[in-house]
């Protein structure tokens, strides 16, 4: 799992790579443009900071070792009346499941909670304003109990929309012993990975 900034990740398994929620670099100062070669692109919704498919060079290899499940939900807590729809993507390969929540804007109902429960990793927005905030993200983690939690869509030093909250507003809601601060933007997810809040290092524009 590689974080490219904001809500954008690549997830790779067996040489097959999926790009999730690529952003338009003109919208997000401080982040380098995303330029990657992948097998598939998934976007949670149609906003420019999540659906900039021009960032990807797509090579269709034929094999699809990563199973993808798309679950419709909302970008706000008014069933899309404010910001429209959102799609949660669940990726499964090698006996591991990863959920990317996109710009989820509400607490999950019973059906979505069940679908998200027991993930090996959850990529979750925490910055609020356009999506769920730190407290709501904490509630979702408590409801679904993922093994590894990777926060995204927040404001950091030198990157992110100024209106967003910081990642510390999220991590401060957990025991410090469960929070791990990485010096890289990559995490290799394994079946025996310990429970943790994994704060990946954001790549910054040079």
């Amino acid at each position: 799992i590689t974080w490219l900034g904001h809500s954008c990740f690549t997830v790779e398994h067996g040489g097959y790579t999926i790009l999730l929620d690529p952003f338009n670099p003109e919208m997000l100062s401080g982040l380098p443009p995303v330029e990657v070669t992948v097998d598939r692109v998934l976007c949670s919704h149609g906003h420019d900071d999540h659906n900039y498919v021009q960032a990807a060079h797509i090579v269709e290899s034929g094999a699809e070792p990563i199973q993808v499940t798309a679950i419709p939900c909302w970008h706000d807590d008014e069933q899309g009346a404010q910001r429209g729809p959102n799609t949660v993507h669940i990726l499964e390969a090698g006996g591991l499941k990863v959920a990317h929540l996109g710009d989820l804007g509400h607490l999950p109902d019973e059906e979505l909670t069940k679908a998200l429960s027991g993930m090996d990793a959850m990529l979750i927005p925490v910055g609020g304003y356009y999506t769920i905030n730190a407290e709501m993200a904490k509630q979702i983690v408590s409801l679904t109990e993922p093994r590894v939690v990777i926060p995204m869509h927040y404001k950091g030093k030198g990157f992110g929309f100024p209106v967003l909250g910081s990642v510390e507003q999220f991590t401060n809601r957990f025991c410090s012993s469960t929070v791990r601060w990485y010096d890289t933007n990559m995490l290799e997810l394994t079946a025996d990975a310990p429970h943790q809040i994994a704060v990946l290092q954001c790549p910054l524009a040079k």
Side-chain angles (χ1 to χ4, degrees):
I1 300 172
T2 303
W3 187 35
L4 302 178
H6 199 48
S7 297
C8 182
F9 290 81
T10 55
V11 175
E12 186 272 334
H13 174 77
Y16 185 93
T17 303
I18 292 178
L19 175 67
L20 296 129
D21 279 23
F23 56 85
N24 185 336
E26 294 182 1
M27 292 189 67
L28 286 156
S29 62
L31 299 176
V34 175
E35 297 176 354
V36 291
T37 298
V38 298
D39 296 272
R40 187 174 179 183
V41 180
L42 299 173
C43 300
S44 61
H45 62 292
H47 293 166
D48 232 15
D49 57 328
H50 292 261
N51 77 335
Y52 193 70
V53 296
Q54 298 93 318
H57 175 59
I58 300 174
V59 178
E60 296 182 2
S61 60
E64 294 190 13
I66 301 178
Q67 178 184 332
V68 177
T69 302
I71 304 176
C73 50
W74 304 107
H75 197 332
D76 54 60
D77 59 2
E78 297 180 16
Q79 295 190 320
Q82 291 183 329
R83 291 184 288 274
N86 178 68
T87 301
V88 165
H89 289 106
I90 297 176
L91 282 54
E92 185 173 2
L96 300 174
K97 287 186 176 182
V98 176
H100 184 289
L101 303 193
D103 258 5
L104 181 66
H106 58 92
L107 291 175
D109 59 17
E110 184 177 353
E111 184 178 356
L112 183 55
T113 298
K114 183 178 179 180
L116 291 174
S117 293
M119 290 289 130
D120 295 285
M122 178 177 285
L123 318 179
I124 186 169
V126 301
Y129 196 80
Y130 301 113
T131 181
I132 57 173
N133 59 26
E135 177 55 34
M136 294 172 73
K138 169 64 164 59
Q139 291 180 50
I140 291 173
V141 170
S142 297
L143 283 170
T144 59
E145 298 184 329
R147 196 149 49 86
V148 177
V149 177
I150 302 178
M152 64 180 185
H153 201 281
Y154 58 83
K155 173 184 63 179
K157 187 175 181 180
F159 68 90
F161 293 122
V163 295
L164 296 176
S166 69
V167 71
E168 289 82 3
Q169 290 173 295
F170 175 68
T171 58
N172 288 344
R173 288 170 161 78
F174 297 86
C175 176
S176 60
S177 62
T178 68
V179 180
R180 180 176 175 185
W181 299 84
Y182 283 74
D183 59 3
T184 175
N185 66 329
M186 300 175 66
L187 180 147
E188 182 176 359
L189 185 64
T190 61
D192 57 355
H195 282 78
Q196 61 182 290
I197 309 299
V199 184
L200 300 185
Q201 182 73 42
C202 184
L204 298 178
K206 296 180 181 179

